[in-house]
């Protein structure tokens, strides 16, 4: 079988600030909206690819800023979640979705090259995340995501949500500090999603299985669709994570 990624297609994983001194590793699985050249546009318009179904709007920018503020290493994934969702087990039905928020994805129907997407994007990206986490440099893993304010016509009230299962302590401490420091904030716990072993990858595989302190953080994407919003939320998260580290070390 020929390769999916060709010369000119970027590698799935991009590591920034690799020498960062923070014990936090930042992970951004839905950072990019890239599509391998061989897949064309997946049959979607530019507007559809730019919408929340294609990537986590603002998440990459916040991750970059957070990496600077914390001097933390970050790893970002280049390809659209519509090519393959790097926060789902590859066997999940919507790992390569045929429909996303009501939009049909023509390039994902009757898929001849699903295995290539797993082998050339999902697996190498997660091998690099695992390599970083197994290096022993990090005691905390934070996954940065964003969510759409309205899903299937239902508005979502939260400004930010923490997704977790076994490690409730890390998100609870972060949320408690945020609520005290930023009283206007509506914080969701396991909102707008609940983590499960069949639908999720970061929390069960990178966080729980390694026994690391961890949380997946979801920011409502209308807060981080502009540079001002991205800077504001990087400040909020940076301040909260710094406080978390200080508290954890005392
Ligand atoms: Zn996401």
């Amino acid at each position: 079988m020929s390769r999916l990624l060709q010369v000119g297609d970027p590698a799935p994983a991009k590591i920034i600030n690799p020498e960062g001194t923070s014990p936090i590793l930042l992970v951004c699985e839905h950072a990019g909206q890239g599509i391998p050249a061989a897949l064309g546009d997946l049959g979607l318009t530019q507007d559809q690819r730019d919408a929340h179904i294609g990537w986590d709007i603002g998440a990459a920018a916040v991750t970059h800023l957070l990496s600077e503020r914390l001097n933390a290493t970050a790893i970002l994934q280049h390809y659209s979640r519509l090519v393959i969702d790097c926060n789902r087990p590859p066997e999940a039905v919507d790992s390569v979705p045929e429909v996303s928020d009501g939009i049909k994805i023509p390039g994902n129907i009757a898929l001849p090259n699903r295995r290539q997407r797993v082998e050339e994007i999902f697996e190498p990206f997660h091998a690099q995340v695992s390599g970083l986490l197994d290096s022993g440099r990090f005691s905390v893993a934070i996954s940065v995501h964003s969510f759409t304010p309205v899903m299937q016509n239902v508005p979502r009230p939260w400004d930010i949500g923490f997704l977790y299962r076994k490690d409730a302590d890390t998100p609870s401490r972060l949320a408690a500090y945020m609520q005290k420091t930023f009283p206007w904030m509506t914080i969701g716990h396991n909102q707008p999603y609940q983590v499960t072993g069949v639908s999720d990858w970061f929390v069960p595989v990178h966080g729980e299985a390694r026994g690391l302190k961890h949380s997946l953080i979801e920011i409502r994407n209308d807060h981080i669709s502009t540079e001002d919003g991205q800077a504001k939320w990087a400040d909020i998260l940076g301040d909260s994570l710094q406080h978390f580290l200080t508290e954890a070390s005392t």
Side-chain angles (χ1 to χ4, degrees), residues 85-108:
D85 189 327
C86 283
N87 191 37
R88 292 197 191 286
E91 42 307 333
V93 258
D94 47 0
S95 140
V96 178
E98 294 190 357
V99 178
S100 184
D101 202 10
I103 310 277
K104 199 181 270 190
I105 320 298
N108 287 351

Side-chain angles (χ1 to χ4, degrees), residues 30 56 81 145-146 218:
H30 299 150
D56 280 1
R81 57 196 285 171
H145 291 253
S146 73
E218 292 267 5

Side-chain angles (χ1 to χ4, degrees), residues 163-169 171 190 194-198 200 203-205 208 214:
L163 308 195
Y164 55 93
R165 290 192 309 190
K166 293 179 185 165
D167 178 8
D169 184 62
N190 285 317
Q194 287 78 45
V195 174
T196 71
V198 292
D200 282 76
V203 167
V205 176
E208 292 175 348
H214 65 278

